Amino acid sequence: MKWQEEAYSRKDEGGHMMSLQEYKQQTNRLGRFQLMGAGDLRLYAITGVGFFLDSYDLFIINLVTPVWQNDYWGGLQGQKSPTFPPWLRGAVNAASNIGNIIGQLTFGFLGDAFGRKFVYGKELIVLIIGTILLISLPNSIPTPTEKMWWIFAFRVLIGIGIGGDYPMSASTVSERTCLKRRGQQLGWIFSNQGWGTLTGSVVTIIILACFKEAIDNKGEYNQLDAVWRIQMGLGLVPAFATLYQRLTMPEGKKYLESKELNSPASLRGNETKASESSVSEKPDHIHGEDARDTHAVKTPNTDGIALGSRVAEHSPATSSTGVHEASHNPASEPLNEVAILQLSSRKVRFNTFFVYFSEWRHLKPLLGTTSTWFLLDIVFYGTNLNQSVLLSDIGFSAGSNEYNILLRNGVGNLIIAVAGYVPGYFFTIFFVERLGRRWIQIQGFLVVALMFAIIAGDYSHLGTAGKFVCFALAQFFFNFGPNATTFIIPAEMFPSRVRGFTHGTSAAAGKLGAILSSLLFNYLSGPTILGLANVLWIFFACCILGAISTYFLIPETKDRDADAIDYEEWVAAGSGTMDENAGKTRS
């Protein structure tokens, strides 16, 4: 299979240098919104499966938890009020998110240090192994609590695989997609979360319908054991379907070019040419290119976020007059893919992230992406991991027996997914290249805050229908808002050589918020502690803080190529001509 390469790179297919402005002129004929071509569809199918599984796992656990409650805590004995201990339920809910943090940080770092090709596909292997072990839960385990600890352990393993997919798929899509449609394509990939949610609800309803005779009519509640294993096991189908394509993915050109900026050989090549020309005239010295190809980048590009790396400690030697001393160095010759990866020293691999973010202008947006994702996931996961609890609390999922309760719960989740959750993604896809990422994120935070304020402020008097509508609207503006943009922004904001780890770090901060929410929601929402209405006020406050953090810390990333800015900054630093205004963003 041929992987598309439509993103901007410093060299065209003929090996000649090309400026970002020239690239934009070539792609100017493309519209802001286009249906996906064959290459886009392949990229969508291969990279999107991780987010499908992330959402499927997240929301299937929301639908499986009531099954476990009836299966292991009373349903088989005919009790009408089975008790799944809140602390244990919170731990099982949090398990996948704990694994997500490990996977996001680990795979994000490995993807930057050793390459996308080296890492991609391994996260699916981890996920597949975890899922197989999870659904192989031995019935010989004597107590429900011990069964839950088995499930907890392998949900952590599943979470590691899902977490590893975040930085790898985000980086792969960002580095291979046309700049003008990058946000749209990232939105398409992330929208697989919506399909995962929808599939989870539909699968649950279909499986319950298949077991209706046994469970509802005959009261054979032991069949619930088969129900949850099928629910969880179906996630293996898309994982196996895309494993081969991921494992055989070639290294991306954009990543390789960005990786050169970490290479000691590249830095020595910079020294060779630095004495011959200023950065504005000959920016190609890291490749040892002939002067005829160096006209491409004439002036520093400030049309974006400057996300270069401070390389003062690596800069070439200079004479007492500040002029770089020229000397022939064979390392200035063109580097092939293998050489680029081999010449990156172990020290550079481990230091790149810290050197890059030692500058405030680079650290500031990272604080923005981590804080907004953290605040979002407190609210998003607090709502969605416990949507069954919320539906029960507002009176929607009542039923005459266990089967009808489970069915009503599945129908309620399906309605919310169809009416609010899934459409929100497509609004983001359509408007992200028109309105920009920042505007969508801020308005999403504010509207979700308003919905929770309405529910919490009039909780005792607002009817079931009113609460249900508010929850559906909140789901819509989660996805036509910060749930989509917190994923898109870090994939665009940082250069390829640190993109995997920065995206993984931002996502891990979000999962930390999800863990806090999943562990504390069931405890705090109890009537003797805070109650559900007051927990929703906490969610309101988190949304307001998320909007404030976005406004002050995160710039717009539409139409900006972080790698182009990173290269110009690197060249300027190596030449000793770093503009004090380099990297300042324009509103």
Side-chain angles (χ1 to χ4, degrees), residues 5 7 39 43 56 68 102 147 212 222 230 255 296 300 322 345 365 389 405 415 448 457 470 493 548:
E5 293 272 5
L43 193 64
Y56 183 84
W68 286 333
I102 299 170
K147 285 184 170 71
K212 184 179 189 301
N222 61 324
I230 296 172
Y255 167 78
S345 68
V389 176
I405 290 172
I415 293 172
V448 172
C470 286
M493 184 172 291
I548 293 172

Side-chain angles (χ1 to χ4, degrees), residues 261-432:
L261 275 62
N262 291 336
S263 171
S266 296
L267 289 168
R268 289 194 295 271
N270 186 40
E271 178 182 356
T272 302
K273 293 289 185 180
S275 62
E276 299 177 11
S277 174
S278 68
V279 62
S280 62
E281 295 175 343
K282 296 185 180 180
D284 303 332
H285 35 262
I286 69 167
H287 299 291
E289 289 291 316
D290 189 88
R292 65 178 178 273
D293 287 330
T294 62
H295 66 281
V297 182
K298 295 295 184 184
T299 58
N301 175 17
T302 57
D303 185 23
I305 309 163
L307 295 166
S309 173
R310 182 181 355 182
V311 292
E313 64 266 42
H314 301 300
S315 59
T318 58
S319 67
S320 59
T321 61
V323 177
H324 292 274
E325 297 176 359
S327 62
H328 175 71
N329 193 317
S332 62
E333 297 300 322
L335 298 172
N336 59 30
E337 175 181 332
V338 176
I340 291 169
L341 296 177
Q342 290 179 341
L343 286 169
S344 295
S345 68
R346 182 175 299 177
K347 182 177 180 181
V348 169
R349 282 176 181 165
F350 284 89
N351 286 351
T352 298
F353 184 84
F354 299 101
V355 171
Y356 180 80
F357 287 104
S358 62
E359 298 184 37
W360 169 246
R361 62 199 169 98
H362 299 153
L363 181 62
K364 178 183 174 182
L366 180 62
L367 294 177
T369 58
T370 52
S371 62
T372 52
W373 211 331
F374 172 79
L375 292 165
L376 165 72
D377 277 5
I378 289 176
V379 184
F380 183 75
Y381 282 82
T383 302
N384 288 295
L385 279 174
N386 299 283
Q387 196 156 274
S388 296
V389 176
L390 294 169
L391 289 173
S392 176
D393 196 85
I394 67 177
F396 184 87
S397 59
S400 58
N401 58 29
E402 283 82 357
Y403 177 83
N404 289 320
I405 290 172
L406 294 173
L407 186 61
R408 286 275 294 174
N409 181 50
V411 170
N413 279 275
L414 178 61
I415 293 172
I416 290 177
V418 172
Y421 197 85
V422 174
Y425 286 112
F426 293 103
F427 270 70
T428 296
I429 291 167
F430 186 79
F431 286 108
V432 70

Side-chain angles (χ1 to χ4, degrees), residues 456-526:
D458 196 27
Y459 193 81
S460 300
H461 302 96
L462 193 64
T464 297
K467 292 174 183 175
F468 191 87
V469 169
C470 286
F471 276 122
L473 286 173
Q475 290 288 9
F476 176 83
F477 282 99
F478 270 134
N479 296 319
F480 180 41
N483 188 43
T485 52
T486 52
F487 169 81
I488 293 172
I489 291 171
E492 299 180 317
M493 184 172 291
F494 306 104
S496 297
R497 60 199 180 100
V498 295
R499 179 174 288 128
F501 196 41
T502 51
H503 197 282
T505 300
S506 301
K511 295 304 181 184
L512 180 60
I515 291 170
L516 290 175
S517 192
S518 60
L519 291 176
L520 294 177
F521 181 91
N522 289 287
Y523 172 73
L524 294 176
S525 61

